[in-house]
Amino acid sequence: MKTYSVKEAYVTLQGEGALTGRAAVFLRFAGCNLWSGLERDRSAAVCSFCDTDFVGTDGENGGKFQGADALATHVKSVWDDTAPEGGVPYVICTGGEPLLQLDSDAISALRAQGFEIGVETNGTLAAPDGLDWICVSPKANAALTQRRGNELKLVFPQDEPEAQPSEFESLQFQHFFLQPKDDTAHAQNIAAAAAYCMKHPKWRLSLQTHKLIGLP
């Protein structure tokens, strides 16, 4: 029986992209294939600008779950404890890189608990069938396998030629977002992303609104 390692799980509002403002369980799986999560390895990582702690299982409602049913039951309990009144339960599978663990069994089990299911992935692994929403965030120097979905969310700016917005415009996504890189130049990155979107209206600006209003 497969063991799923979860860093944390909590209810909040989606803060980014086309579904901004929707209540969801953020199910953060531990582990990533582009960075170990350890600061000592950041400078040499394929993705060096991640702002998320995905190491271990010690976060809020984190843990190791034996089998897909145990995982889905846990996610439903997190939802029911916070948002039991009306609406369709929604879970966003994120990480790290959730597709290292999220599989057809977990999707079926979450579906049996009544959830719509979204994923936020770096796109280096193919998404399994049965997902309601696929958000891909490509990273420079990482081969892109998942080339279709609902939204493509590009952290901006990235200096490498293969990570420029124009490289992704022919892919099969409904929405194309630029998300300003959250680093010491954040204000300049917001201005640059906004200017790019005004000149290239295929792209829309995505801000991390949960950070602006103090949500996790």
Side-chain angles (χ1 to χ4, degrees), residues 5-202:
S5 296
V6 172
K7 174 66 178 184
E8 57 187 350
Y10 56 89
V11 175
T12 187
L13 299 181
Q14 169 63 282
E16 306 169 1
L19 298 184
T20 293
R22 183 176 182 180
V25 178
F26 264 68
L27 176 62
R28 189 178 309 283
F29 288 97
C32 184
N33 58 344
L34 300 185
W35 178 40
S36 69
L38 303 176
E39 286 301 322
R40 69 186 184 216
D41 299 329
R42 184 186 286 273
S43 62
V46 174
C47 176
S48 61
F49 51 79
C50 181
D51 60 359
T52 302
D53 178 7
F54 53 81
V55 177
T57 58
D58 58 344
E60 180 181 359
N61 298 311
K64 291 182 178 291
F65 300 91
Q66 299 294 321
D69 289 339
L71 174 68
T73 298
H74 178 68
V75 174
K76 186 61 161 56
S77 71
V78 172
W79 173 266
D80 287 344
D81 285 346
T82 306
E85 298 183 9
V88 177
Y90 184 49
V91 58
I92 300 172
C93 301
T94 185
E97 177 43 57
L99 295 186
L100 293 171
Q101 299 190 61
L102 183 65
D103 58 9
S104 59
D105 289 342
I107 290 170
S108 295
L110 288 165
R111 184 80 64 206
Q113 291 288 351
F115 280 97
E116 291 183 2
I117 306 163
V119 68
E120 296 183 346
T121 172
N122 60 35
T124 59
L125 303 169
D129 293 335
L131 296 167
D132 297 291
W133 193 264
I134 299 174
C135 173
V136 173
S137 182
K139 305 299 187 296
N141 303 313
L144 190 62
T145 298
Q146 185 64 37
R147 302 175 70 84
R148 65 176 62 197
N150 300 92
E151 63 182 0
L152 186 140
K153 183 176 63 184
L154 182 65
V155 174
F156 185 88
Q158 297 182 54
D159 294 333
E160 295 84 351
E162 67 272 17
Q164 300 310 303
S166 58
E167 295 298 307
F168 304 102
E169 291 182 350
S170 65
L171 300 183
Q172 298 181 48
F173 290 87
Q174 296 170 265
H175 307 280
F176 291 80
F177 288 98
L178 291 189
Q179 185 159 295
K181 187 187 294 184
D182 188 6
D183 60 12
T184 55
H186 193 213
Q188 296 96 311
N189 296 340
I190 292 174
Y196 191 95
C197 291
M198 284 190 280
K199 290 183 178 180
H200 303 85
K202 185 180 184 73

